Amino acid sequence: MKNYLLTVSIFLLATCAKAFPNNDTTYSYMDEHWKKAQEQNAFYKVEVFKTGNLWHQQIFKIENAALQYDNVYSDKRLKTKEDTSKNYQQGNGEVLEEIFKKGKELKAQLITKDANILGYEIFDNDGKIIEQKGYDENGNEIPNYVFMQEASFPGGLKFWQTYLIVNLNQNVPANNHAPIGTYKVVVSFLINKDGNATEVKALNDPGFGMAEEAVRVISNSPQWNPAIMYNKAVTYRQKQGIIFNVTK
């Protein structure tokens, strides 16, 4: 995979150098958590340049110059995706291609380095999946194939909200003498391949026991339906806001 990605990145950089003067390309740097960084401390290098009417944002891993992403936009501010964006971080030399028109995703497909399609999904104008298919190593269609699917609580969002309302102890802040007001705790957690909530942690803490209570109720969550990627269960990160109201 590394050799393949390095070849691709060198080719793209060479092409860009021929097509555009240096002052038409902008550079920035990010750390491994995707936060802005100084060049000497960076994990990723980001190059932005224009080709025709489209803007490319290419992201390279600095340690091996491997191209990670090639995102394509119709505007210089990189707000509206257009044409085909590519994600090279799939493993085994595979590439995830996403096709956009005026910011709306039309199709996503996983392609091998030999240009064979392993799977795809097609969206309607409302972003709903209208078709998805996958194929085995012999090119045979896989029955009931799921290209990508977010983790979900059994019964859907309403059942998840009901679980939180019924099981959250709203009296915790008042019992700990919190002032009157509305408080919010944002909780980050993973839904693992088995559908269990793990690595539950509060991203902020208003105090008065609210962060601990928010973590408790999500940690005790019933089993979820795990996320699916390329027909396999995968770990999925979620965030949930928990509201506490203190009225007296």
Side-chain angles (χ1 to χ4, degrees):
M1 177 181 178
K2 289 185 178 179
N3 290 337
Y4 171 68
L5 291 177
L6 183 58
T7 302
V8 172
S9 63
I10 291 173
F11 171 77
L12 286 170
L13 283 171
T15 303
C16 295
K18 292 179 180 178
F20 304 98
N22 288 337
N23 59 6
D24 282 347
T25 301
T26 62
Y27 303 91
S28 59
Y29 300 89
M30 295 184 291
D31 64 19
E32 57 186 317
H33 303 294
W34 300 101
K35 295 181 179 180
K36 289 184 179 180
Q38 298 297 318
E39 181 177 358
Q40 61 270 25
N41 301 319
F43 192 81
Y44 297 104
K45 179 180 180 181
V46 183
E47 299 186 12
V48 177
F49 59 89
K50 188 177 184 182
T51 173
N53 295 322
L54 299 175
W55 292 87
H56 284 255
Q57 178 198 55
Q58 293 184 344
I59 303 176
F60 298 85
K61 186 181 289 187
I62 290 177
E63 66 177 1
N64 57 6
L67 180 62
Q68 307 294 291
Y69 300 94
D70 183 9
N71 299 315
V72 184
Y73 299 85
S74 61
D75 60 310
K76 187 176 182 178
R77 297 177 63 189
L78 309 182
K79 297 293 185 181
T80 306
K81 282 193 170 183
E82 189 74 22
D83 203 65
T84 303
S85 290
K86 298 180 180 181
N87 179 338
Y88 294 93
Q89 290 190 306
Q90 306 305 304
N92 301 320
E94 296 165 0
V95 179
L96 173 63
E97 293 188 347
E98 296 177 281
I99 302 170
F100 293 85
K101 185 175 182 180
K102 296 181 179 179
K104 289 187 176 182
E105 188 169 10
L106 305 179
K107 183 178 182 180
Q109 56 189 14
L110 184 66
I111 299 178
T112 69
K113 60 183 178 181
D114 299 320
N116 296 318
I117 297 177
L118 295 176
Y120 69 86
E121 59 183 356
I122 298 175
F123 305 91
D124 64 14
N125 289 331
D126 296 321
K128 296 180 180 179
I129 298 171
I130 56 176
E131 182 180 328
Q132 54 184 337
K133 291 184 179 180
Y135 306 92
D136 62 22
E137 61 274 12
N138 297 317
N140 300 314
E141 185 175 340
I142 300 172
N144 304 314
Y145 181 89
V146 177
F147 189 75
M148 285 191 189
Q149 181 174 284
E150 295 180 352
S152 62
F153 191 77
L157 180 59
K158 288 185 178 180
F159 282 78
W160 172 237
Q161 292 173 336
T162 299
Y163 165 78
L164 294 176
I165 291 170
V166 170
N167 291 279
L168 183 70
N169 185 353
Q170 279 281 352
N171 295 322
V172 165
N175 291 342
N176 287 294
H177 311 293
I180 292 173
T182 298
Y183 303 86
K184 182 177 182 179
V185 180
V186 178
V187 179
S188 171
F189 59 103
L190 298 180
I191 300 299
N192 66 19
K193 296 178 183 180
D194 297 320
N196 298 315
T198 64
E199 297 188 25
V200 184
K201 60 181 179 180
L203 300 182
N204 67 305
D205 186 0
F208 306 100
M210 286 180 275
E212 292 82 358
E213 175 60 13
V215 167
R216 181 197 67 80
V217 74
I218 289 181
S219 296
N220 292 335
S221 164
Q223 195 171 39
W224 288 53
N225 301 313
I228 303 294
M229 178 179 285
Y230 314 140
N231 218 42
K232 296 179 181 179
V234 294
T235 298
Y236 185 84
R237 181 169 294 282
Q238 292 270 103
K239 286 185 181 179
Q240 177 66 51
I242 303 291
I243 302 296
F244 292 88
N245 291 301
V246 180
T247 57
K248 61 180 180 178

